[in-house]
Amino acid sequence: MLVDRGNLVQALVHKFGGQATTSERSKALLGGKGANLAEMAAIGLPVPPGFTLATPVCAAYYANGRAFDDGLRAQVAAGIAHIEGLTGRRFGDAANPLLVSVRSGARVSMPGMMDTVLNLGLNDASVEGLAAGSGDARFAWDSYRRFIQIYADVVLGLPHSDFEDALEIAKEDRDYTLDTEMTAQDWRALVGEYKAIVAAALGRPFPEDVHEQLWGAIGAVFESWESDRARVYRRLNAIPAEWGTAVNVQAMVFGNMGDTSATGVAFTRDPATGTRQYYGEYLVNAQGEDVVAGLRTPHYLTRIAREAASAKPLSMEEAMPDAYSELARVFDRLEGHYRDMQDIEFTVERGKLWMLQTRSGKRTAKAALKIAVDMVGEGLISKEEAVLRVDARALDQLLHPTLDPQAARTVLTRALPASPGAASGSIVFDADTAALRANEGVILVRVETSPEDIHGMHAARGILTVRGGMTSHAAVVARGMGRPCVCGAGAIAIDMAARTMRIGDVTLREGDKITIDGASGEVMQGVIPTIEPELVGDFATLMQWADEVRHMRVRTNAETPADCRTARQFGAEGIGLCRTEHMFFDAARITDVRAMILAEDQAGREAALARLLPEQRSDFADIFRVMAGLPVTIRLLDPPLHEFLPQREGDFADVAAAAGVDVARLKHRAAELHEFNPMLGHRGCRLGITYPEIYSMQARAIFEAALDVAADGGEAPLPEVMIPLIATRRELDMLKAVVDDAAAAVFAERGQHIPYQVGTMIELPRAALMAGEIAESAQFFSFGTNDLTQTTLGVSRDDAARFLTQYVDKGILPADPFVTLDTQGVGQLIDLAATRGRATRRDIKLGICGEHGGDPASIDFCAKVGLDYVSASPYRVPIARLAAAQAALRAQN
């Protein structure tokens, strides 16, 4: 959409602080940080003044060739004047300089993914004014070196390590251990070294002009929206690229002005457990990046937390009681105002508290459940709001094993429990190796993580860092991903050259196994056994509330009794997909399956199938017992027959011997069955048309098993026989007749009858288009979205990983269509098929059984189309239950 550029700019620079605070609160426009800064300023909290460049400026920046026009520059100048007026300082003034921070602010939190610049506005002249005005030369020169270091990294693109190395050498030369030992003269000298590094690398001096500094930083923040780490984070969290980021320019306040100054990050409730107690960390004489980036290990916020950890350094509650008391009042006010747990960044400058940010805090799934349920009890939110508050995808964190408390363990060290859960895996020391070796299960061990590590953190089972606290980058990102994380393990020494880590007298190499427990902070040698989680208490309460409001039923995809029991425990209301081919691969029956394939005539096939019948009947009976009284959709044999024959040369002799045939005959049959594109070949209903005796045996096994279970006193199951890969009504009619004949024969033999249905999977575009005609014979449709996505997009799911990531990054597709349903293309076919099917048969049952049945965004679409149920893998059943409830609530609003 083209908009007059002057008018666009007028609407997209918004001030906060004082009477000029914008009335705009849209996070889509101002970003989450900008909207919340304006809100805090409006309710009278101490917020340093500033202004926000709204999110559409990000798109305009890229559309205009990464340039800023004069209209925008004028509005930014007005914003600077606004800050100057409220602070009494002047931007670029040598005597009384205004310093600002430049930060990102997307509409949803992306912790650590984009860039920040602090102390902007310092140069060789203004640093002297800052020193004189503050009466603290050390503080002024420390701030200047910090600015050069972060600006050189973020804006100029120079390696951060060059400056860290220079700092370490400076400390070593002076026999210092801590940064705080550096004097004003030491920092002044280091500033000279930093500027020399810049000049040597770029062939030009570090910029002295403060306006050049400002526009460089604004551009760098917009650039960071398209950084590799931001793209990865957006892809993992389904954040559209077109949203863009806002930029917040705000007056600096300083936590590094001596022992009466501090900076910190805090949560109004524990983000790991949800307990209603203040949780956070702070550092005296530091700036915010020291805490967030994990550059120094911080101290506890409260006395209770410090004592629980047996830590010696005083908590903020003890060291700064007045500032802490004011902070506690702000905590309560913000949580009451936003009616949600808040994540807060603050600074204390010479005893005065300043609020730099508030946002709804990221939390573990366990904490999300507890906070939501507790806030209902506290009268802050309703049950319906509680259901909407919990990210359905995050429930996955609760559904996996934790360490067995009875198991023996060798604890190597204890550190900060940054993200709950436990994980075992092979040690790796960098993100690339973690991604490369993800399939074997790895623990990413780093001195500290940075946003560039995002792909490795996602690939790892757990994360362990030497430095950083419970609000460091590693901790925040790990909690958001549901990865166990232990931080601040200072007892670990990593040797990157040797690819080893040492803890005391124990040396471990890359590839050695360790276990971390993010709930206790323990790091253990080897692999520790685990136990299944217990889903009670807050989980059960929220699931009950969800079930009260959802309309869609939730089934499971399962074909073993164990999976069925797991799914029932998680609340499954039947089976939406039982894949019978998985039963055929069982070692005890694969020989008979191969005998059936190798048979030269129908009689030979039927003889082999007769041997399979008792096994198949037993399989179904076991499932029916677990799913007593619930619908069970059984898909008849789907994959091509060659999949049951050996694929590798070395296996032919063993299989031939087991089958009682010679190798030559086996190879000949395998060659006959070979297909160039088996996904579109002789499979599904096409097998049933060619070899109806296969489907007849399976149908007989289903009905005999159902009657056996009913005769044993169990509640009769509700079998739904599903014919796969139907493209025409004629195919379904022919195979429905096979099923009906088997049912009639079994019922006549047993003298009993049970209700059953016959339907089909809609997994071909033609079937979707012809749904009205197919529904004349089908009693239900189950949308097989895995294959429907493949056949609609013409993309192989097994090969798509090579290019789909780029398709998402480049905006060709909004998300991986095999993870989240392509609602525009595949979704249109589902909608059309549902409409046409219902027009023919009003009571036709409609469901979805692909992997999308466990994806919240896809479930939302299914609700809009009006499907009767979704079916998901057992461990995703709770996710589907909650997502279905959320879809129903959103439809009401």
Side-chain angles (χ1 to χ4, degrees):
M1 177 179 177
L2 296 177
V3 182
D4 178 79
R5 191 171 294 170
N7 292 333
L8 178 71
V9 171
Q10 286 289 337
L12 296 182
V13 176
H14 297 261
K15 303 174 184 130
F16 55 85
Q19 297 299 312
T21 295
T22 178
S23 60
E24 182 61 67
R25 295 292 185 272
S26 167
K27 291 184 178 180
L29 185 65
L30 300 183
K33 185 174 296 183
N36 288 334
L37 285 169
E39 183 70 9
M40 284 196 295
I43 64 175
L45 295 182
V47 175
F51 60 91
T52 300
L53 284 77
T55 54
V57 180
C58 183
Y61 169 76
Y62 286 102
N64 295 340
R66 291 177 161 84
F68 301 107
D69 62 31
D70 292 341
L72 180 62
R73 290 179 183 273
Q75 290 302 305
V76 168
I80 290 290
H82 161 70
I83 302 174
E84 290 175 332
L86 291 177
T87 62
R89 300 179 180 276
R90 294 293 176 265
F91 194 50
D93 187 74
N96 188 26
L98 168 68
L99 305 186
V100 297
S101 63
V102 181
R103 302 173 186 261
S104 63
R107 71 169 76 175
V108 295
S109 177
M110 295 174 58
M113 294 302 108
M114 289 178 289
D115 288 329
T116 293
V117 177
L118 303 178
N119 304 323
L120 190 144
L122 280 171
N123 55 29
D124 290 348
S126 60
V127 69
E128 300 289 0
L130 182 64
S134 65
D136 188 343
R138 185 193 178 281
F139 149 73
W141 286 98
D142 179 25
S143 299
Y144 194 14
R145 71 90 189 174
R146 288 172 180 267
F147 169 57
I148 295 173
Q149 184 169 342
I150 197 169
Y151 194 92
D153 175 19
V154 169
V155 182
L156 304 180
L158 301 184
H160 180 77
S161 58
D162 288 355
F163 301 90
E164 281 293 307
D165 290 346
L167 172 57
E168 291 302 315
I169 291 170
K171 288 194 296 186
E172 288 175 9
D173 289 346
R174 294 163 175 80
D175 199 25
Y176 296 159
T177 301
L178 303 174
D179 293 1
T180 50
E181 296 176 87
M182 296 280 283
T183 67
Q185 286 302 116
D186 295 333
W187 287 132
R188 182 193 289 265
L190 189 61
V191 164
E193 292 184 41
Y194 278 8
K195 294 177 74 175
I197 292 172
V198 172
L202 301 180
R204 63 179 188 274
F206 186 85
E208 292 276 316
D209 185 287
V210 296
H211 297 285
E212 179 185 348
Q213 294 173 2
L214 177 62
W215 287 102
I218 292 172
V221 173
F222 284 137
E223 286 289 336
S224 69
W225 176 251
E226 291 296 342
S227 66
D228 290 342
R229 64 181 185 264
R231 288 183 179 186
V232 170
Y233 190 91
R234 289 203 304 268
R235 185 170 68 250
L236 295 178
N237 293 278
I239 298 172
E242 60 267 23
W243 281 4
T245 182
V247 174
N248 298 287
V249 180
Q250 188 175 20
M252 283 292 303
V253 289
F254 300 97
N256 58 331
M257 293 186 74
D259 291 341
T260 60
S261 301
T263 189
V265 176
F267 296 82
T268 55
R269 303 190 188 213
D270 189 323
T273 67
T275 303
R276 190 178 184 184
Q277 61 185 26
Y278 305 143
Y279 174 103
E281 299 166 323
Y282 85 113
L283 276 171
V284 174
N285 197 21
Q287 288 198 324
E289 288 301 296
D290 295 339
V291 178
V292 176
L295 299 178
R296 288 166 55 190
T297 299
H299 306 318
Y300 288 94
L301 194 71
T302 66
R303 177 181 57 80
I304 291 175
R306 179 188 68 78
E307 290 176 348
S310 299
K312 293 181 179 179
L314 292 178
S315 66
M316 182 180 177
E317 183 179 9
E318 297 163 300
M320 296 181 161
D322 292 341
Y324 173 83
S325 295
E326 184 180 0
L327 183 63
R329 289 192 293 272
V330 170
F331 284 170
D332 295 341
R333 185 171 182 188
L334 285 174
E335 188 171 276
H337 183 77
Y338 285 103
R339 300 186 309 124
D340 196 8
M341 184 265 279
Q342 294 297 291
D343 170 3
I344 295 164
E345 292 181 22
F346 65 90
T347 286
V348 178
E349 181 182 283
R350 291 180 169 174
K352 177 169 176 53
L353 177 69
W354 292 97
M355 305 307 298
L356 304 183
Q357 174 172 283
T358 191
R359 60 190 175 194
S360 292
K362 288 194 175 294
R363 62 207 76 179
T364 64
K366 179 181 179 180
L369 287 169
K370 180 169 179 56
I371 291 168
V373 172
D374 284 356
M375 284 189 169
V376 172
E378 294 162 18
L380 281 176
I381 61 175
S382 66
K383 291 180 181 180
E384 291 76 15
E385 287 176 300
V387 168
L388 288 169
R389 282 280 176 89
V390 179
D391 182 355
R393 294 173 301 174
L395 289 184
D396 200 36
Q397 299 175 23
L398 297 177
L399 309 178
H400 298 285
T402 54
L403 290 184
D404 181 352
Q406 305 302 318
R409 60 189 71 185
T410 301
V411 178
L412 299 173
T413 188
R414 289 179 176 84
L416 300 175
S419 181
S424 300
S426 302
I427 297 168
V428 295
F429 292 113
D430 64 80
D432 290 340
T433 304
L436 187 66
R437 299 175 61 175
N439 288 338
E440 70 183 72
V442 298
I443 304 295
L444 178 61
V445 182
R446 301 284 281 158
V447 173
E448 63 200 20
T449 62
S450 70
E452 282 74 18
D453 292 326
I454 182 71
H455 62 299
M457 297 174 75
H458 179 68
R461 289 182 178 174
I463 299 150
L464 171 62
T465 68
V466 176
R467 294 206 294 253
M470 291 184 290
T471 52
S472 65
H473 173 266
V476 172
V477 173
R479 283 196 294 269
M481 288 181 171
R483 300 291 188 276
C485 180
V486 173
C487 287
I492 296 176
I494 297 175
D495 185 337
M496 287 300 294
R499 310 293 283 187
T500 63
M501 58 183 275
R502 189 181 72 255
I503 309 175
D505 58 0
V506 176
T507 298
L508 299 172
R509 299 184 178 279
E510 191 163 54
D512 289 347
K513 303 288 187 181
I514 61 170
T515 298
I516 63 171
D517 186 345
S520 68
E522 292 179 331
V523 180
M524 292 150 281
Q525 194 165 7
V527 176
I528 311 298
T530 58
I531 57 173
E532 294 295 321
E534 292 186 23
L535 301 177
V536 293
D538 296 326
F539 176 87
T541 299
L542 192 81
M543 287 295 103
Q544 179 183 338
W545 294 344
D547 291 342
E548 289 171 359
V549 298
R550 68 180 168 90
H551 306 306
M552 281 193 303
R553 314 308 291 174
V554 176
R555 301 191 191 181
T556 189
N557 302 336
E559 48 273 339
T560 69
D563 282 349
C564 291
R565 282 190 287 272
T566 298
R568 284 298 306 271
Q569 290 170 358
F570 288 151
E573 298 161 307
I575 292 180
L577 176 61
C578 174
R579 305 172 180 90
T580 56
E581 61 270 12
H582 289 185
M583 304 166 180
F584 280 23
F585 282 104
D586 184 270
R589 64 195 71 170
I590 189 67
T591 299
D592 289 330
V593 173
R594 287 166 174 163
M596 181 267 295
I597 295 171
L598 293 168
E600 296 181 350
D601 54 27
Q602 182 173 343
R605 287 191 295 274
E606 288 179 342
L609 289 167
R611 294 192 294 273
L612 285 170
L613 175 61
E615 302 283 354
Q616 188 91 113
R617 181 173 58 234
S618 176
D619 292 332
F620 295 140
D622 289 342
I623 290 171
F624 289 153
R625 289 189 183 96
V626 178
M627 291 289 171
L630 297 175
V632 177
T633 303
I634 299 171
R635 183 179 72 186
L636 301 186
L637 190 65
D638 183 38
L641 296 181
H642 80 271
E643 289 192 8
F644 298 97
L645 296 181
Q647 309 297 314
R648 296 176 300 180
E649 182 66 28
D651 295 335
F652 276 97
D654 292 340
V655 172
V661 299
D662 60 49
V663 172
R665 181 183 169 198
L666 182 60
K667 287 186 174 180
H668 177 72
R669 184 59 172 150
E672 286 182 330
L673 294 174
H674 171 75
E675 294 179 298
F676 289 103
N677 191 350
M679 197 273 285
L680 297 177
H682 193 189
R683 54 166 286 218
C685 68
R686 299 158 194 171
L687 282 175
I689 296 294
T690 309
Y691 306 118
E693 55 271 16
I694 298 176
Y695 280 13
S696 179
M697 181 278 289
Q698 290 192 293
R700 171 172 280 275
I702 291 169
F703 298 122
E704 288 181 352
L707 291 175
D708 286 346
V709 170
D712 290 342
E715 191 173 358
L718 305 173
E720 297 174 348
V721 183
M722 184 158 68
I723 314 296
L725 212 71
I726 288 292
T728 70
R729 177 188 173 185
R730 178 61 178 154
E731 290 170 316
L732 181 58
D733 285 343
M734 292 175 68
L735 294 175
K736 184 176 185 297
V738 172
V739 174
D740 288 342
D741 288 348
V746 171
F747 296 159
E749 294 166 9
R750 298 289 188 93
Q752 293 176 283
H753 180 278
I754 58 168
Y756 71 94
Q757 291 187 336
V758 180
T760 184
M761 289 186 87
I762 302 294
E763 50 194 328
L764 296 175
R766 190 185 195 279
L769 294 171
M770 302 301 295
E773 182 178 300
I774 293 172
E776 293 176 8
S777 300
Q779 294 170 284
F780 66 87
F781 287 164
S782 180
F783 292 97
T785 52
N786 298 343
D787 276 355
L788 187 58
T789 297
Q790 292 192 98
T791 53
T792 301
L793 271 67
V795 172
S796 164
R797 181 174 58 168
D798 298 326
D799 301 311
R802 300 178 185 178
F803 59 86
L804 272 183
T805 297
Q806 293 187 44
Y807 266 55
V808 173
D809 285 346
K810 294 178 179 179
I812 299 172
L813 293 172
D816 183 335
F818 295 105
V819 175
T820 296
L821 193 69
D822 164 30
T823 57
Q824 291 183 320
V826 178
Q828 189 175 161
L829 287 174
I830 292 174
D831 193 6
L832 181 148
T835 301
R836 292 183 178 180
R838 286 196 174 110
T840 298
R841 185 187 292 267
R842 287 181 54 192
D843 63 346
I844 191 168
K845 190 182 301 183
L846 302 176
I848 181 175
C849 64
E851 288 301 310
H852 300 96
D855 172 64
S858 304
I859 291 170
D860 190 69
F861 173 81
C862 294
K864 292 175 181 175
V865 173
L867 299 192
D868 297 301
Y869 70 87
V870 296
S871 188
S873 58
Y875 279 94
R876 305 202 82 187
V877 166
I879 297 173
R881 289 167 64 193
L882 182 56
Q886 291 171 342
L889 289 172
R890 282 191 290 266
Q892 295 174 9
N893 298 329

